[in-house]
């Protein structure tokens, strides 16, 4: 049995890593195809989880649009897939790498499993292009590995057969538990490294394409207004490498003293700083999933979310990007709501998702061979 894992970004690698180790532990022949969409950030995670790709495509180049990226990926991924004669392909999430991996699998009549299937906002342009990628992968996948009941119901509503949908939880929780178990001694050291041991701070991340420009400016205006009224709080902001993102952050926070602006963090570092935060503000989907396991309330800086489970469970609030709403919800968190959100249960899994995925793949491949 030979299974191909196709991914290219850091979030994909984090969520694929536990699956990779589960497959290797079960003596499966695994081929890792790294598209290298976020190569520098990606290899931080691969090194942490001790994963060496079998193929590195290094596909990114300056000024490359989605159409060019997609066409170049199709050609390169197909060459590998034809050579390796894979029995099954796994893709994760909603990136262009995931979409292309599924499409090439379809072209070569190889069954595809979609990890983290069934996420939907209902708006094909938000997030862009991720929402469209999810739906396109869904049309191809043989097995939909859905994290929650909400995701299962989304897929059923779109007409997918119940037999092809498996509720398994989210592999990001497997990865987080692995770090807490195996690298706990490093977490305090990292907080000390960034001077955060005795600081009360809000952790903020913001990078999604739909938030570039004015949405990010408005958000930061609200954040700055609140922090200028609350002198005990610091802001820790790992900045995405995109120069458009960095320029806005620096302009809007210029002259504000209690900010710690840092480069994108390695996964282990990010977990440590998330673990020490008072609460989190983010437009990241992965952070919405991880934060509940650490007891961290989360303010989601988006107008829509494909992860309503966190909202319904009470671990997160969807607040948008207007400066007034951002300021309002930061003030709301001063009261009892903070305690309620920090104690809410994580709806995204129990740390055994990767095992469930392996067993389902095994069942599907054996079924094909009968």
């Amino acid at each position: 049995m030979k299974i191909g894992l196709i991914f290219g970004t850091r979030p994909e690698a984090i969520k694929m890593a536990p699956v990779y180790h589960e497959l290797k532990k079960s003596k499966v022949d695994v081929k890792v195809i790294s598209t290298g969409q976020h190569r520098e950030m990606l290899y931080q995670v691969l090194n942490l989880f001790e994963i060496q790709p079998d193929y590195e495509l290094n596909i990114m180049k300056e000024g490359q649009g989605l159409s060019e990226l997609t066409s170049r990926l199709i050609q390169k991924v197909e060459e590998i897939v034809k050579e390796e004669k894979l029995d099954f392909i796994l893709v994760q999430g909603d990136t262009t790498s995931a979409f292309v991996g599924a499409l090439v699998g379809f072209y070569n009549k190889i069954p595809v499993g979609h990890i983290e299937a069934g996420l939907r906002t209902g708006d094909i342009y938000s997030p862009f292009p991720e929402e469209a990628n999810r739906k396109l992968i869904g049309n191809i996948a043989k097995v939909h590995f859905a994290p929650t009941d909400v995701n299962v119901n989304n897929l059923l509503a779109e007409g997918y057969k119940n037999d092809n949908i498996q509720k398994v939880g989210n592999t990001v929780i497997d990865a987080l538990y692995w770090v807490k178990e195996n690298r706990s001694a490093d977490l305090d050291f990292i907080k000390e490294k960034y001077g955060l041991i005795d600081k009360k701070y809000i952790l903020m991340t913001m990078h999604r394409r739909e938030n570039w420009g004015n949405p990010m400016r408005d958000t930061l205006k609200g954040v700055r207004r609140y922090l200028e009224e609350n002198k005990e709080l610091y802001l820790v902001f790992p900045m995405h490498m995109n120069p458009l993102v960095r320029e806005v952050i620096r302009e809007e926070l210029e002259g504000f003293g209690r900010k710690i602006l840092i480069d994108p963090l390695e996964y282990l570092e990010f977990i440590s700083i998330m673990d020490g935060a008072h609460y989190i503000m983010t437009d990241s989907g992965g952070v919405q999933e991880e934060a509940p396991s650490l007891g961290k309330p989360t303010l989601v800086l988006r107008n829509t979310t494909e992860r309503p489970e966190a909202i319904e469970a009470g671990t997160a609030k969807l607040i948008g990007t207007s400066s007034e709403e951002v300021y309002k919800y930061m003030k709301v968190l001063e009261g009892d709501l903070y305690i309620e959100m920090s104690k809410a249960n994580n709806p995204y899994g129990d740390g055994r998702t990767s095992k469930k995925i392996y067993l389902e793949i095994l069942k599907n491949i054996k079924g094909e061979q009968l």
Side-chain angles (χ1 to χ4, degrees):
M1 178 166 59
K2 188 186 291 188
I3 297 178
L5 309 186
I6 301 173
F7 58 86
T9 66
R10 183 172 82 162
E12 287 175 292
I14 291 167
K15 294 180 178 184
M16 280 287 210
V19 179
Y20 169 86
H21 284 295
E22 183 65 39
L23 294 174
K24 294 293 280 187
K25 184 175 74 175
S26 303
K27 309 300 182 185
V28 174
D29 186 0
V30 182
K31 297 299 178 184
V32 174
I33 303 168
S34 168
T35 64
Q37 279 185 255
H38 296 167
R39 194 173 191 278
E40 197 172 305
M41 297 164 69
L42 170 67
Y43 269 81
Q44 297 169 359
V45 173
L46 295 179
N47 291 336
L48 172 65
F49 287 102
E50 301 175 348
I51 299 173
Q52 178 60 51
D54 297 281
Y55 297 93
E56 303 177 60
L57 303 186
N58 299 326
I59 201 71
M60 296 306 289
K61 66 178 186 178
E62 190 174 348
Q64 181 172 238
L66 287 172
S67 297
E68 184 181 0
L69 172 62
T70 303
S71 62
R72 293 178 68 219
L73 273 174
I74 289 172
Q75 183 177 5
K76 287 179 175 290
V77 172
E78 180 145 35
E79 289 173 1
I80 296 166
V81 166
K82 284 182 178 298
E83 180 181 337
E84 287 291 350
K85 297 180 172 55
L86 301 172
D87 297 301
F88 203 90
I89 288 174
L90 277 173
V91 298
Q92 193 283 325
D94 49 27
T95 66
T96 302
S97 294
F99 165 56
V100 168
L103 185 62
V104 170
F106 168 71
Y107 286 162
N108 290 274
K109 297 184 178 179
I110 301 168
V112 173
H114 185 199
I115 299 172
E116 201 175 42
L119 279 68
R120 299 289 187 270
T121 65
D123 180 352
I124 201 169
Y125 292 106
S126 178
F128 176 84
E130 290 87 352
E131 178 75 359
N133 287 341
R134 295 169 188 145
K135 294 173 72 70
L136 292 165
I137 295 168
N139 282 312
I140 292 169
K142 180 179 181 185
V143 189
H144 309 268
F145 296 112
T148 69
D149 286 329
V150 170
N151 309 137
V152 170
N153 291 334
N154 286 341
L155 293 165
L156 291 173
E158 292 178 4
Y160 295 107
K161 294 179 180 178
N162 190 58
D163 289 347
N164 299 121
I165 303 169
Q166 300 296 323
K167 177 187 167 186
V168 294
N170 197 306
T171 57
V172 76
I173 308 304
D174 299 30
L176 179 60
Y177 286 174
W178 185 92
V179 168
K180 293 280 282 185
E181 180 179 344
N182 293 281
R183 304 297 293 270
S184 60
D186 296 323
L187 300 183
D188 284 340
F189 171 79
I190 291 166
K191 293 180 191 117
E192 186 175 350
K193 169 185 170 182
Y194 286 100
L196 299 174
I197 290 290
D198 298 319
K199 287 185 174 67
K200 184 178 181 181
Y201 61 91
I202 296 167
L203 172 61
M204 183 172 177
T205 73
M206 201 172 188
H207 70 277
R208 282 191 177 270
R209 191 182 298 258
E210 68 264 27
N211 280 337
W212 292 357
N214 287 334
M216 186 174 291
R217 289 189 185 279
D218 289 345
T219 299
L220 287 168
K221 283 179 170 64
V223 170
R224 180 167 183 164
R225 176 185 169 192
Y226 180 81
L227 290 176
E228 285 177 341
E229 296 174 1
N230 292 268
K231 307 298 185 184
E232 80 284 4
L233 280 171
Y234 286 74
L235 180 70
V236 177
F237 201 144
M239 299 184 296
H240 196 276
M241 296 304 292
N242 188 304
L244 296 175
V245 172
R246 292 181 160 227
E247 180 182 358
V248 170
I249 295 169
R250 290 196 170 107
E251 286 177 359
E252 292 300 326
L253 295 177
E254 185 178 4
F256 177 72
R258 284 173 285 109
K259 66 178 183 292
I260 301 173
L261 304 181
I262 52 183
D263 285 339
L265 295 165
E266 296 182 12
Y267 177 64
L268 181 62
E269 292 185 318
F270 189 77
I271 293 298
S272 174
I273 290 179
M274 187 162 56
D275 187 49
H278 181 47
Y279 62 84
I280 298 167
M281 304 179 73
T282 188
D283 62 3
S284 164
V287 174
Q288 293 175 57
E289 296 157 352
E290 293 162 332
S293 290
L294 299 172
K296 303 301 172 182
T298 305
L299 299 181
V300 182
L301 304 170
R302 295 175 61 184
N303 296 316
T304 59
T305 181
E306 59 281 10
R307 293 170 173 84
E309 303 89 347
I311 311 298
E312 293 166 7
T315 68
K317 291 287 180 186
L318 189 68
I319 69 171
T321 58
S322 84
S323 59
E324 288 298 324
E325 289 295 297
V326 168
Y327 174 79
K328 179 183 81 174
Y329 275 100
M330 292 178 81
K331 283 194 72 68
V332 167
L333 269 187
E334 293 173 358
D336 292 340
L337 181 62
Y338 177 88
I339 298 172
E340 293 173 16
M341 291 178 71
S342 64
K343 291 183 176 179
N345 290 325
N346 190 344
Y348 292 112
D350 57 8
R352 295 182 293 173
T353 296
S354 300
K355 182 71 170 180
K356 296 172 187 175
I357 288 172
Y358 163 66
L359 292 174
E360 188 60 32
I361 293 172
L362 193 62
K363 185 169 70 175
N364 268 268
I365 290 179
K366 284 186 175 179
E368 287 286 323
Q369 293 172 344
L370 291 177

